Amino acid sequence: MQITPIPCLSDNYAYIINDKDSKTVGVIDPSEAPPIISFLNKKNLKLNYILNTHHHFDHIGGNNELKKLYDAKVVGFVGDKHRIPGIDITLKDNENWTFGNSSVKILHIPGHTLGHICFFFEQEKIAFTGDTLFSLGCGKIFEGDHKQMLTSLNKIKNLPKNTKIYCGHEYTYKNAEFCIKHDSDNINLKKKFDVIKKLRSQNLPTIPTSLEDELKSNIFLRCDQNDLKIKLNMKNHEDYKVFKKVRDLKDCF
Ligand SMILES: [Zn+2]
């Protein structure tokens, strides 16, 4: 299984998934068609599936053109079938879907939008988290509430630690600056920031990240930890209140 990030628009990533054994090719969240078509042409590949984590325009913008060109099937959450263009295959929370030879578990993770899902490739331990979990950040809460978003992030936290995380945007550098501001003595975070600086100075993607790294360094995944609660003067506060505080701080950052 080969995964290639395709930069789209200003800071989005679509991902081409190429399962050579079963000759199955998919794209995650194509915000626009031309960069996807150009990559597929170069590699002489056809597209079988278009997978959408959620309905925002910068994740589905290429659906119709790609579907028409390749006769590809559009895959998304059943609850969003009215707002994902060209949807053919509707999936439910906890459902197992098959991509080539791979079993894909669907996690419904509302908060950023109410119909947001994560595609988790179980054997490969690969998660496509869209705009819910970013490297060192999390998505803005547009349709859900903070409790819902925290529950969704906790679902991702419960995946195996060595899961590779592929998210929807290259926001990592700015996210790291925010994490450092409020979690300044976190040694793992500092180490990760050094790696991020190096990658970005060469214009390379910081994605994938690993769940293990994120658990140690992503402030939004640390809202249940006492050391962070103390730093934020929120000792003994409930996790979701700490999460709300951090999300509010980030919205003003
Ligand atoms: Zn979005």
Side-chain angles (χ1 to χ4, degrees), residues 5 15 19 49 55 58-59 72 78-79 81 87 89 118 124 126 133 137-138 145 155 180 194 199 205 209 229 235 243:
Y15 298 101
D19 180 10
Y49 295 107
H55 76 285
D58 59 329
H59 295 257
V78 64
K81 62 182 178 197
I87 194 163
I89 298 169
C118 164
E124 298 81 1
I126 289 170
L133 177 66
C138 79
D145 59 35
K155 276 194 197 176
I180 291 273
D194 287 340
L199 288 169
T209 177
K229 288 185 181 185
K235 202 182 168 195
F243 175 69

Side-chain angles (χ1 to χ4, degrees), residues 54 56 59 112 131:
H54 65 298
H56 282 158
H59 295 257
H112 177 69
D131 288 357

Side-chain angles (χ1 to χ4, degrees), residues 193-211:
F193 198 16
D194 287 340
V195 176
I196 291 161
K197 281 178 185 162
K198 211 170 273 174
L199 288 169
R200 292 313 291 153
S201 71
Q202 299 166 67
N203 209 22
L204 292 171
T206 59
I207 311 301
T209 177
S210 72
L211 183 57

Side-chain angles (χ1 to χ4, degrees), residues 98-116:
T98 304
F99 175 94
N101 297 324
S102 302
S103 167
V104 185
K105 168 82 87 188
I106 305 305
L107 307 178
H108 181 216
I109 46 171
H112 177 69
T113 68
L114 289 177
H116 201 303

